[in-house]
C-alpha cells in the first residue's frame, strides 16, 4: 500500500498587548515574545508500506518507509545582546525581528506496526513512527532597533519526536469499527 499524509502542521500567533507603548513594536508584554511571534509549519510524509498477516494466529506486521518534507516560516523577537531588554544602555530601541521565510528540509521516515486479532470482533494494535531531526534552511531577514534590515542564509535545527500508538479495535458490525 501507499499513503500521503499531513504528519504535523500548525500555526501560532502571539497575542500582542494593544495597550503597550507605541515606542516598542509588536508583542512587548512578556518574555514569551522571544519564543515566536508568528509561525507556520507543515510536515508532509509520503510512505510506501508492506504488511503480512498470519491467518491462524491473527498476527499482522507492517513496515512503511518514506520521505518527509518540512516547510517552516517564523517571526521571532530578538535583541543583539541576547537579553530581554527592549532598550540598549543609551535608551534606544534594541529589540528586533528575525524572519525565517520558506525554510525547507527532507528526512527519511519509518512507520512500523503490529496487530493481533484476538477474536473476529476485537483486536489490539501498536505502531511506532520514528522521529526525524530536520536541518531547516531558508532565507532570514533581520532587523534590530533602528538599524537597516539585513539578509542571510539561516538554518534551524528542528527535531520531531518519535511516536508510539496503541489501539484497541472493536468491530460492532461490518460497517462500524
Amino acid at each position: 500500500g501507499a499513503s500521503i499524509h499531513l504528519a504535523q502542521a500548525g500555526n501560532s500567533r502571539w497575542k500582542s498587548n494593544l495597550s503597550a507603548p507605541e515606542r516598542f513594536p509588536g508583542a512587548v508584554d512578556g518574555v514569551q515574545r522571544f519564543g515566536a511571534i508568528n509561525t507556520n509549519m507543515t510536515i508532509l510524509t509520503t510512505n510506501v508500506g508492506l504488511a503480512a498477516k498470519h491467518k491462524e494466529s491473527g498476527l499482522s506486521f507492517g513496515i512503511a518507509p518514506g520521505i518527509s518534507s518540512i516547510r517552516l516560516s517564523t517571526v521571532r523577537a530578538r535583541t543583539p545582546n541576547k537579553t530581554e531588554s527592549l532598550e540598549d544602555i543609551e535608551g534606544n530601541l534594541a529589540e528586533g525581528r528575525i524572519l525565517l521565510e520558506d525554510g525547507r528540509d527532507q528526512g527519511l521516515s519509518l512507520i512500523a506496526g503490529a496487530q493481533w486479532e484476538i477474536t473476529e470482533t476485537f483486536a489490539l494494535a501498536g505502531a511506532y513512527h520514528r522521529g526525524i531531526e530536520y536541518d531547516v534552511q531558508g532565507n532570514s531577514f533581520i532587523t534590530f532597533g533602528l538599524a537597516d534590515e539585513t539578509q542571510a542564509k539561516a538554518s534551524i535545527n528542528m527535531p520531531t519526536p518519535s511516536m508510539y500508538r496503541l489501539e484497541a479495535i472493536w468491530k460492532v458490525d461490518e460497517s462500524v469499527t
Side-chain angles (χ1 to χ4, degrees):
S3 74
I4 296 176
H5 61 278
L6 197 58
Q8 297 167 335
N11 288 302
S12 68
R13 184 169 197 76
W14 174 258
K15 183 176 180 182
S16 60
N17 180 357
L18 299 177
S19 64
E22 289 182 21
R23 177 164 160 57
F24 304 114
V28 298
D29 49 343
V31 296
Q32 181 61 38
R33 72 181 177 278
F34 290 99
I37 293 173
N38 189 8
T39 299
N40 182 300
M41 179 184 79
T42 304
I43 300 175
L44 185 67
T45 303
T46 303
N47 294 88
V48 175
L50 179 65
K53 179 178 181 179
H54 186 260
K55 288 185 180 185
E56 287 180 25
S57 65
L59 290 173
S60 302
F61 297 95
I63 189 165
I67 296 176
S68 290
S69 300
I70 185 171
R71 291 185 69 178
L72 175 69
S73 293
T74 187
V75 177
R76 296 170 180 237
R78 291 291 184 266
T79 58
N81 59 2
K82 299 182 180 178
T83 69
E84 295 172 8
S85 176
L86 298 176
E87 298 177 333
D88 63 18
I89 57 173
E90 296 165 353
N92 296 316
L93 179 64
E95 184 181 59
R97 300 289 182 266
I98 298 176
L99 163 65
L100 172 69
E101 188 172 64
D102 202 27
R104 297 171 184 244
D105 193 24
Q106 291 185 332
L108 298 177
S109 71
L110 177 68
I111 302 171
Q115 180 173 303
W116 178 30
E117 291 181 5
I118 300 170
T119 68
E120 287 185 21
T121 59
F122 186 74
L124 296 175
Y128 165 75
H129 190 156
R130 185 184 70 184
I132 299 172
E133 190 158 326
Y134 296 101
D135 181 26
V136 180
Q137 304 211 5
N139 294 315
S140 65
F141 301 87
I142 306 158
T143 181
F144 285 113
L146 305 174
D148 291 336
E149 180 180 270
T150 59
Q151 295 183 25
K153 296 287 183 190
S155 176
I156 294 180
N157 179 272
M158 179 72 65
T160 59
S162 294
M163 293 179 275
Y164 301 90
R165 290 185 288 257
L166 296 174
E167 296 178 2
I169 303 159
W170 176 43
K171 290 183 181 177
V172 178
D173 64 32
E174 289 299 316
S175 62
V176 179
T177 301

